[in-house]
């Protein structure tokens, strides 16, 4: 039936009978640059034989084959979140990255509920859903495409569409309300699953994947013949990778990445990490590591990430030197 909807792409609209999330594959992205959003709406609604005045659409570069539908209910309330998400090419850290252009590739969320939401509840639902989306990205450690040393809060083209129902009237959708809880839970689960489908990124991915997402490549950071090391670069990189296959050292690196984020935000004193790094190096080497070589600069890596890699490299080089002696 005709419903009131609130779209971050179109604003508040009345009498809408169809909503949708439309996938534009990468070869067609240029169409939006020439025709604009109005042109895209006209093209798609004509192809679907839907009246533009009664139809509200979102647009995305994420494949609709990976659409996730999540249902959450409590007593007489039901919320559906329909989510698509792509974060590999357009993820951003709000208040850090610059806004320069618009292109597809996004997190799109359609929220539908059986409750009759007031205008204020619909607008508050956008805040609730956005907070849940950002929480999902934080828990997955999604990095900004433009500033990979920073965690992403969304993508540069995220949109959200809220559709009210015809059930009980509700004026609130914040975190203290049951409606807000249902919205947040549905969006959080939907974003997790949609990113897993579109980008194959999950919380259980390897430490190698997380370093790659930060654009940290040990082979390009080390010189061909690392200073005061009995191993050349190729063998040293292989030895570090072998160490990171072990849970103890993978956990050390994962913890160092988390501490690095906290230190950048001013929430942790980086000096507390140094003793941990030297203990890890000593465990790898089988003895205290002296002298301690610093092979990575702050211009290459955040300080704590550099210290973590130095711990692994110093420990392995000291171990090899001990074997040679």
């Amino acid at each position: 039936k005709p419903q009131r909807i609130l779209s971050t792409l179109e604003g508040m609209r009345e009498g809408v009978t169809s909503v949708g999330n439309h996938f534009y594959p990468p070869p067609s992205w240029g169409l939006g640059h020439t025709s604009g959003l109005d042109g895209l709406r006209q093209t798609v609604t004509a192809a679907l034989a839907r009246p533009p005045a009664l139809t509200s659409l979102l647009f995305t570069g994420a494949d609709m084959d990976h659409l996730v539908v999540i249902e959450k209910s409590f007593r007489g309330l039901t919320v559906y979140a329909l989510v698509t998400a792509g974060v590999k090419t357009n993820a951003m850290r709000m208040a850090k990255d610059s806004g320069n252009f618009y292109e597809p590739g996004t997190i799109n969320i359609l929220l539908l509920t059986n409750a009759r939401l007031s205008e204020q509840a619909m607008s508050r639902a956008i805040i609730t859903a956005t907070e849940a989306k950002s929480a999902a990205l934080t828990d997955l450690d999604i990095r900004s495409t433009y500033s990979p040393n920073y965690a992403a809060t969304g993508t540069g083209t995220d949109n959200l569409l809220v559709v009210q129902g015809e059930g009980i009237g509700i004026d609130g959708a914040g975190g203290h309300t049951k409606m807000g809880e249902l919205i947040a839970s549905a969006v959080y689960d939907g974003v997790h699953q949609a990113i897993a489908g579109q980008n194959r990124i999950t919380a259980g991915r390897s430490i190698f994947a997380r370093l790659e997402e930060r654009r940290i490549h040990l082979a390009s950071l080390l010189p061909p013949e690392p200073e005061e090391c009995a191993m050349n670069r190729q063998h040293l990189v292989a030895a570090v990778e072998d160490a990171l296959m072990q849970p103890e050292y993978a956990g050390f690196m994962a913890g160092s990445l988390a501490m690095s984020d906290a230190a950048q935000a001013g929430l942790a004193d980086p000096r507390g990490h140094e003793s941990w790094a030297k203990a890890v190096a000593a465990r790898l080497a089988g003895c205290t590591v002296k002298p301690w070589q610093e092979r990575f600069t702050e211009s290459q890596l955040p300080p704590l990430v550099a210290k973590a890699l130095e711990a692994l490299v110093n420990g392995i080089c000291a171990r090899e030197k001990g074997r040679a002696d």
Side-chain angles (χ1 to χ4, degrees), residues 158-207:
D158 292 351
N159 276 299
L160 178 64
L161 194 154
V162 184
V163 183
Q164 70 167 0
E166 297 183 326
I168 63 171
I170 287 182
D171 288 328
H176 292 297
T177 68
K178 187 56 67 173
M179 175 56 68
E181 177 191 333
L182 297 177
I183 289 171
S185 180
V187 169
Y188 182 90
D189 290 351
V191 170
H192 264 259
Q193 294 181 31
I195 291 174
Q198 178 72 26
N199 297 139
R200 301 297 186 265
I201 295 175
T202 64
R205 66 195 183 280
S206 72
I207 192 64

Side-chain angles (χ1 to χ4, degrees), residues 9 32 35-42 59 102:
L9 201 58
S35 67
L37 284 174
D38 288 340
L40 293 181
R41 291 189 190 97
Q42 292 295 331
F59 301 91
Y102 180 99

Side-chain angles (χ1 to χ4, degrees), residues 209-232:
R210 294 179 62 193
L211 290 171
E212 174 69 26
E213 290 158 8
R214 287 166 167 79
R215 301 177 198 161
I216 296 174
H217 307 102
L218 189 58
S220 64
L221 293 169
L222 286 170
E225 299 294 334
E227 185 179 354
E228 296 189 19
C229 190
M231 309 174 77
N232 62 25

Side-chain angles (χ1 to χ4, degrees), residues 68-92:
V68 172
V69 181
I70 302 292
E71 177 190 0
K72 299 290 181 178
S73 297
F74 177 79
R75 294 180 182 174
L77 296 178
T78 299
V79 170
Y80 283 93
L82 287 70
V83 185
T84 57
V87 295
K88 279 197 170 180
T89 61
N90 201 19
M92 298 185 72

Side-chain angles (χ1 to χ4, degrees), residues 145-165:
T145 303
Y146 311 98
S147 309
N149 289 330
Y150 290 90
T153 53
T155 85
T157 51
D158 292 351
N159 276 299
L160 178 64
L161 194 154
V162 184
V163 183
Q164 70 167 0

Side-chain angles (χ1 to χ4, degrees), residues 49 51 59 79 91-92 107 186 212 227 258-259 271 275 285 288 292 296:
F59 301 91
V79 170
M92 298 185 72
I107 300 173
E212 174 69 26
E227 185 179 354
M259 286 187 69
R271 292 174 297 181
S275 58
T288 301
W292 184 273
F296 310 106

